[in-house]
Amino acid sequence: MAQSTVADSSRTSRSIYPKPSAFSLSHFSSADFIVKDFIEGLTSSAIPANRRSGSNFGTPTFDPKPYIRTFEGALERLKDLDEDLSAKESELKEGVRRAEIDHARTIDRLSLKFNSTLSEFQRLDSSISDGGGTASRIGGQLEQLEKQHQRAEDAKFLIQCYIEFSRGDTSRLEKLRRTPWVEDSIKCAIVSRQLSLIVKRNEGTAKPGTKELIEAFSESLEQDLLKQFDDAYREFNVQAMKGCAKVLHDFNGGASVISNFLNQMDFFIAAGKINAGEVAIEDDLKEQLSDPDANPPGLDPNLLTLIHEIRDVLKMESETIKEVFPYPEAVLGTFLQRVFQQSLQQRLEMVLEHASNISTLAFLRTLQASRAHVMTLSDDLKAHGLTEHPGPLSPGTTMLLDQNVEELFAPYLQDRGYMEKEKESLEQLYTGLLLKFHMFHAQRKEQKTLGVLDRLKKSRERAIEKVLESELAKSQGDALGKIIGFERKPGKDSHLSDVILSDADGKLNIEFPKRMLKWLAEAVGRSLELSSQADTPKDVSVMLNILVENMRTMFLDVALDAAIETAEAQTKGEPDLSYLQELKPATIIMHLMFSFINTALVPLSQTSLTIKREMTKLTNTTLSALEQKVNTVIQRTIDIVLAHITLLLSRQRKADFKPRDDEVRLTTLQTPTCVSTTAFLEKLTQIATTCLDGANLTHFLTEISHGFRTALLEHLKRHAVNQAGGIMLTKDLAKYQEVVNSWKIPAVRESFEIVAEIGTLFVVRPTAVRDRMRDGVLAKVKPHLLKPYLSRREDYASAGIEKMLASEL
């Protein structure tokens, strides 16, 4: 057995396969460990040394055994290391478990100690609290005793003073009054006030003279304190002012010191001087205020300066009020009320009264500008904060400021008075603008009727006389001239009858409605600023009625009625169609008017369904009535034109289409009737295209063409035609068709072709009549309808046309 072992050992030592290199756990825990390098190391150690050097005897065959042996050995070594590692891991886990058990026990011990300490602390805290409550009670009792002692001392001092005052001695209070300490002055004021109350309660039992002495001392004390405050104000000694204000507030509520503080302000002195002077508005500003075509010029410079000064002084003095007075918000409220209710209101009333004497429009523009600047002032003050600066204004002062602003303009805006002013202004302006227009039509009608228009004329004259006698007429002649369109003659005898009128004054002028709508738009914008939101529907309803009354009733209706009357008066001779010139501007004015109503007025009535419904109804009724009058003018003109065309055609001579051979001239183009008719139609075309457009023009010319075609077809039935006359007839018809085609209306062009086709029946050879009847437009006409025309041919019977036509029937 021993021999075998030795032999094995000898074989092992002589093995050609090397042993794998030894490695440990530290080899794997190294930061430089790479698995690839580790495997390559094992692989290189598995190759025998004699094979590594190579051989010259050809390529050796691969022998896997060395690798197998090497990796088996490495695997065994890894298993050993894994066992060692598991053993160490078990030991470590056991150590961790024991450490955790020790830690838990330590925590339990510490928790017991902490709970015990906390209990001790709570017990100690409870003891201290009980002691503190006791100390607090003792302190409260001591404080109460101190107050009682102080009240007793005060009562003693008060009784002593009262007794001394009853003896006529004021030295005790005088001594207290003369000390430099603010606390003593406060005490002196309090005692003086208490003495006054005591005397009032014991007026029947008090010693004679005591009341007078106390009142005299109190008054002297107040005047002395006010003088001290005045001196401190002049020196701007804030601390001294603050002390006096505190004493006087405790003495009598501070009313006297507040009044004294406000009276000394340079602002009220300057404002008083401004308000003492008269309102003087420059001539340029006056004219701009009264000229509705000019932009609103803004506010009176003096009033604007006053508003700016109010803004600056309130911001500046608010800082002083905050530092000096114990209750600054109350002082600021008094300051605001005095500024608005005295200085600003007084100047505003003067400016508005002066503007009202100029014109209603001047008053309204000034009122709007004033309120806009005051509202801007209010917003600026709220944002600044005044005594609350840099924070926003306090709610109480904000409410007071809003109230003062509202009360400032309430006399001019309440009870619908403002809207009455707007109504008066618009009616005044509209009346002036349409004055010459109405005077022209009134003079035109006065020879025919003294009915409604006569009464209208008189009422309008009264209204205009009111305008002319107003301050506007006296001081703003240029603005008045722009509105009315004339200037009054100098002298006392000037009258409306002195005005020279022209035909243009009685015509519709598109610039008038543009100006009227511009003025109305300004009034609408002003009402949105000045009236409450709840009144907006009522305001725009009033303005709609003013617009309808003036632009429709007093302007469009008058012009359209005049056009209708002129049309109806056309009885003899060629009609004068110049009245049609009113239709185009009328349609443009209607478009402007209803666009404004639907865009600017009706939408503002949304909050009141009832008012909106009434406004919509009025708008639709007005539109329908105006469209009906325009249609009446057009239809009446159509009737007049067709009647005159019929009259012209009736003047056709019988021989025009049956000329003798010696009467035929190649140079003759149309018959005299055709010449006069086409001349009238060309004149009509020029007037229609000038006075009408769009659908109105198309409708008008279409109706004329239909009536003219009917008249021509009837005309052709009345005249006998020979061969030469047929040529004249076709020339006439061609000229008629040329005029109609110049209207460039496809439907008219197509409908008029039948006339030209019928005209060809008079010039074709008798043998070609049948073919002509079966060609083109005539193919659609039944033969019996063509018989009245063919029968007018001179060769109707002799050429066999009658027999041919009979065979077609």
Side-chain angles (χ1 to χ4, degrees), residues 298-300 303-304 307 344 347-349 351-352 363-377 405 408-409 412 529-530:
L299 194 58
D300 170 60
L303 180 56
L304 186 60
I307 291 174
L344 186 54
R347 187 64 186 180
L348 178 64
E349 289 175 350
V351 170
L352 288 177
F363 169 81
L364 292 170
R365 284 179 164 180
T366 305
L367 179 63
Q368 180 187 16
S370 302
R371 191 171 187 274
H373 281 88
V374 172
M375 292 300 296
T376 301
L377 169 66
V405 172
L408 191 64
F409 295 96
Y412 312 103
E529 289 186 30
L530 300 181

Side-chain angles (χ1 to χ4, degrees), residues 581-618:
Q581 296 174 1
E582 297 291 80
L583 293 187
K584 192 168 187 177
T587 55
I588 295 175
I589 293 169
M590 288 168 59
H591 174 73
L592 293 173
M593 176 182 177
F594 292 105
S595 296
F596 183 87
I597 291 173
N598 294 323
T599 303
L601 297 183
V602 174
L604 293 175
S605 64
Q606 297 285 353
T607 55
S608 176
L609 296 179
T610 302
I611 294 178
K612 181 182 178 182
R613 184 165 54 248
E614 293 174 353
M615 292 178 65
T616 303
K617 181 180 178 181
L618 176 60

Side-chain angles (χ1 to χ4, degrees), residues 148-164:
Q148 291 177 358
H149 175 71
Q150 185 62 45
R151 283 198 296 271
E153 289 291 331
D154 292 342
K156 177 182 176 182
F157 186 80
L158 180 62
I159 293 171
Q160 290 174 342
C161 290
Y162 180 76
I163 293 172
E164 291 176 357

Side-chain angles (χ1 to χ4, degrees), residues 336-360:
L336 282 172
Q337 285 183 321
R338 184 166 176 181
V339 165
F340 276 85
Q341 295 178 5
Q342 294 184 18
S343 303
L344 186 54
Q345 182 176 0
Q346 184 178 353
R347 187 64 186 180
L348 178 64
E349 289 175 350
M350 294 169 64
V351 170
L352 288 177
E353 182 180 0
H354 190 77
S356 180
N357 291 332
I358 297 174
S359 69
T360 307

Side-chain angles (χ1 to χ4, degrees), residues 240-276:
M241 291 167 62
K242 185 176 182 180
C244 293
K246 179 68 170 65
V247 173
L248 287 167
H249 179 272
D250 294 337
F251 180 64
N252 60 6
S256 59
V257 71
I258 293 173
S259 176
N260 190 281
F261 171 72
L262 298 179
N263 290 336
Q264 292 191 78
M265 286 187 181
D266 294 336
F267 165 77
F268 287 108
I269 299 173
K273 293 180 179 179
I274 293 175
N275 292 335

Side-chain angles (χ1 to χ4, degrees), residues 477-713:
D478 293 339
L480 181 65
K482 289 182 180 180
I483 298 171
I484 298 180
F486 77 98
E487 297 182 8
R488 286 189 77 180
K489 296 180 180 180
K492 298 181 179 179
D493 297 333
S494 298
H495 192 265
L496 291 176
S497 58
D498 298 330
V499 180
I500 300 175
L501 300 175
S502 64
D503 290 342
D505 294 323
K507 304 296 182 182
L508 290 178
N509 187 338
I510 298 177
E511 293 303 316
F512 282 9
K514 289 181 179 178
R515 294 170 68 187
M516 294 169 74
L517 292 177
K518 179 185 176 183
W519 303 343
L520 186 62
E522 180 183 333
V524 172
R526 189 160 46 237
S527 71
L528 293 177
E529 289 186 30
L530 300 181
S531 290
S532 65
Q533 188 174 359
D535 289 336
T536 298
K538 291 185 287 186
D539 291 348
V540 294
S541 178
V542 169
M543 293 182 185
L544 174 62
N545 281 276
I546 295 174
L547 180 63
V548 170
E549 173 67 18
N550 287 274
M551 193 172 291
R552 174 209 164 175
T553 308
M554 300 300 178
F555 195 46
L556 288 172
D557 278 354
V558 172
L560 293 175
D561 288 343
I564 293 172
E565 292 173 8
T566 304
E568 291 176 347
Q570 305 289 329
T571 56
K572 296 180 180 181
E574 181 177 326
D576 179 10
L577 302 180
S578 59
Y579 63 86
L580 282 178
Q581 296 174 1
E582 297 291 80
L583 293 187
K584 192 168 187 177
T587 55
I588 295 175
I589 293 169
M590 288 168 59
H591 174 73
L592 293 173
M593 176 182 177
F594 292 105
S595 296
F596 183 87
I597 291 173
N598 294 323
T599 303
L601 297 183
V602 174
L604 293 175
S605 64
Q606 297 285 353
T607 55
S608 176
L609 296 179
T610 302
I611 294 178
K612 181 182 178 182
R613 184 165 54 248
E614 293 174 353
M615 292 178 65
T616 303
K617 181 180 178 181
L618 176 60
T619 302
N620 294 336
T621 302
T622 302
L623 177 60
S624 177
L626 290 173
E627 288 179 341
Q628 181 62 39
K629 288 194 175 185
V630 171
N631 293 336
T632 300
V633 174
I634 293 175
Q635 189 59 51
R636 183 58 183 151
T637 304
I638 291 171
D639 295 340
I640 294 170
V641 169
L642 293 178
H644 187 65
I645 289 174
T646 302
L647 177 63
L648 292 175
L649 292 177
S650 68
R651 294 174 181 174
Q652 188 91 52
R653 293 178 302 173
K654 294 182 179 181
D656 284 345
F657 300 134
K658 288 186 65 177
R660 295 191 301 270
D661 292 340
D662 58 348
E663 295 178 343
V664 177
R665 299 288 187 272
L666 294 177
T667 57
T668 304
L669 299 179
Q670 291 89 25
T671 64
T673 298
C674 177
V675 172
S676 60
T677 304
T678 52
F680 175 70
L681 288 173
E682 288 172 352
K683 187 184 299 184
L684 172 68
T685 302
Q686 183 179 2
I687 294 175
T689 53
T690 303
C691 303
L692 299 173
D693 57 5
N696 285 336
L697 177 60
T698 302
H699 170 71
F700 178 77
L701 293 178
T702 301
E703 290 296 319
I704 294 294
S705 71
H706 290 166
F708 183 35
R709 184 189 66 177
T710 302
L712 277 177
L713 292 175

